[in-house]
Amino acid sequence: MPDESIKGPASYFPSIEKTYGRPIGDWQQIVRSKLPAKHMELVAMLKAEHGLGHGHANAIVAHVLAEQKG
């Protein structure tokens, strides 16, 4: 599937992997390990403990939380 067709939080995943050098699955597991927690608490944790930018952290958290609801 071409990158242009990826929508929502997943559209950030290639950039996240390139920028931080870890597969997206690693980041998702970090977030899952902190559940249950509020969205912005998880974003703040990724930013403070792992140095992610706000947009990247938000995309990872949004994707994981959407999976949990599904």
Side-chain angles (χ1 to χ4, degrees):
M1 182 184 315
D3 287 344
E4 301 87 48
S5 65
I6 299 173
K7 305 275 190 247
S11 67
Y12 287 87
F13 292 175
S15 176
I16 293 168
E17 289 179 335
K18 183 178 180 183
T19 302
Y20 303 104
R22 293 176 74 168
I24 203 66
D26 286 2
W27 298 113
Q28 291 169 327
Q29 189 53 45
I30 290 168
V31 171
R32 286 185 198 107
S33 74
K34 301 292 185 178
L35 294 175
K38 293 183 180 179
H39 182 108
M40 291 310 295
E41 291 171 346
L42 295 165
V43 169
M45 176 274 301
L46 287 174
K47 291 168 64 175
E49 295 180 19
H50 300 282
L52 271 71
H54 182 83
H56 286 163
N58 189 60
I60 294 167
V61 171
H63 192 267
V64 169
L65 294 179
E67 286 179 339
Q68 300 297 314
K69 289 181 182 179

